[in-house]
Amino acid sequence: MNSDDLALFAAVVHAGSISRAAIEKGMDQSTVSRRVSLLESEVGGRLFHRSGRGVTLTERGQQLMVYAQTISNTLETALRAMQKETETGPARLRIGAQPTIARMTFGKLYHAFRVQYPNTQIRFIEGLANQLLSSLNDGEIDLLLLYRPEHAGSLPYDPLLHEGIWLITPPDFTLPVANSVPLSQLADIPLILPSTHHGIRLMAETAAARHGFSLKLALECDGSTTMTKQLVMDGCGCTILPLAAVIDDVNAGRLKTYRLTEPGISRCVALLMGKTQSDHQAHRD
């Protein structure tokens, strides 16, 4: 699966039918249908319900659309941010991101920037938010993609997208509902969360306090998202994460997800520019 596959998938979603998407893309209907079928084989399930009136997304298709929209928005915003550079682009570009965002975007960003700036030396840096922000302030990173802190204060950023937060459980964990749970039900579910100085913990504590309950903490883990997911797989508790962080494990049956029905619980993926990039933009503006 690559960005072209996701773009074609999104085109079918927006068009509402394979035939209309083929016309809009200037492709044969059979080619579009074949590529959609190949994509369905790759992700291991149907992406569309097909009828004489067109197509609608299955639940798996809705999950994949999270990826498609994320990649589309990130590439569009990143390219817009760089369009004011010279034709040859900067000599080097250092891009930082938190692990989940890095996994979703670094490969796509590389190809996008290679088209726009073939002579630019690109360096990717993955790390935790505090480390990346320190590097940005020290001038060691030019562009930073991260989840906006719950209390952003005066931190300047450009919002890219908002991701919903899901309850992540072991595959044998059972709740009385099929696909979603109210936020208040987290009061009875043992959670694995970072310590309080991390963003998702602050977000969860704030949302719980707003609804008048306290979270039930199974344990704290300040490791990577991969480590947190492994602890969930090992039955140590549940956690809350964006769907994009666990979609591969869900499709493989290693984890289960429940959508949190509270509309306000989400994370904003933000773009921050280092001092050098900000000075360039201010000069050009």
Side-chain angles (χ1 to χ4, degrees):
M1 179 169 57
N2 55 43
S3 57
D4 289 339
D5 295 328
L6 290 177
L8 183 60
F9 165 71
V12 175
V13 174
H14 294 313
S17 79
I18 289 176
S19 59
R20 282 195 294 272
I23 293 172
E24 292 174 3
K25 288 288 187 179
M27 302 170 64
D28 292 334
Q29 180 175 338
S30 60
T31 300
V32 176
S33 181
R34 177 176 56 81
R35 287 181 59 181
V36 169
S37 296
L38 289 173
L39 188 57
E40 288 178 328
S41 298
E42 193 168 354
V43 301
R46 304 287 287 183
L47 297 172
F48 296 102
H49 297 296
R50 293 164 171 80
S51 70
R53 296 185 299 274
V55 295
T56 57
L57 286 172
T58 63
E59 182 176 352
R60 181 156 295 188
Q62 292 172 357
Q63 293 175 346
L64 185 62
M65 194 60 185
V66 173
Y67 269 127
Q69 193 62 55
T70 297
I71 296 300
S72 175
N73 289 345
T74 300
L75 291 177
E76 180 181 342
T77 303
L79 287 175
R80 256 200 327 266
M82 299 303 299
Q83 279 175 350
K84 293 184 178 181
E85 288 289 346
T86 62
E87 289 185 3
T88 57
R92 64 174 182 174
L93 188 61
R94 300 161 298 183
I95 305 172
Q98 288 170 277
T100 298
I101 302 174
R103 181 171 60 85
M104 293 168 55
T105 62
F106 275 177
K108 311 305 178 187
L109 286 173
Y110 171 81
H111 291 294
F113 282 125
R114 267 291 163 263
V115 172
Q116 191 76 12
Y117 307 109
N119 298 319
T120 297
Q121 180 182 358
I122 297 173
R123 178 186 174 195
F124 288 131
I125 303 113
E126 178 189 85
L128 299 179
N130 289 343
Q131 299 167 338
L132 293 171
L133 284 169
S134 177
S135 297
L136 186 75
N137 292 332
D138 291 342
E140 298 172 1
I141 289 178
D142 302 308
L143 297 174
L144 178 56
L145 295 165
L146 85 168
Y147 291 111
R148 183 193 63 193
E150 184 68 15
H151 304 296
S154 60
L155 183 69
Y157 65 90
D158 293 318
L160 300 182
L161 60 99
H162 286 81
E163 286 187 312
I165 300 298
W166 295 56
L167 173 66
I168 314 301
T169 75
D172 57 354
F173 190 87
T174 302
L175 288 174
V177 291
N179 298 313
S180 62
V181 296
L183 182 70
S184 59
Q185 195 161 343
L186 291 185
D188 302 317
I189 297 174
L191 295 175
I192 302 169
L193 294 172
S195 59
T196 52
H197 65 278
H198 286 277
I200 202 161
R201 173 71 175 273
L202 284 175
M203 180 199 64
E205 296 277 11
T206 300
R210 188 168 63 243
H211 286 75
F213 70 92
S214 298
L215 298 175
K216 184 177 180 180
L217 192 64
L219 61 91
E220 292 181 333
C221 176
D222 287 339
S224 64
T225 299
T226 299
M227 175 55 68
T228 299
K229 291 191 295 182
Q230 187 60 56
L231 289 169
V232 175
M233 294 177 203
D234 291 341
C236 300
C238 304
T239 193
I240 54 174
L241 288 170
L243 180 62
V246 298
I247 188 67
D248 292 339
D249 299 291
V250 172
N251 288 338
R254 294 186 292 266
L255 292 172
K256 188 190 295 186
T257 59
Y258 295 87
R259 182 187 295 273
L260 293 173
T261 56
E262 164 63 29
I265 186 163
S266 64
R267 300 197 77 183
C268 173
V269 178
L271 172 68
L272 290 82
M273 290 191 291
K275 186 177 185 302
T276 302
Q277 296 300 318
S278 298
D279 289 346
H280 282 323
Q281 180 167 343
H283 177 73
R284 286 182 169 84
D285 289 347

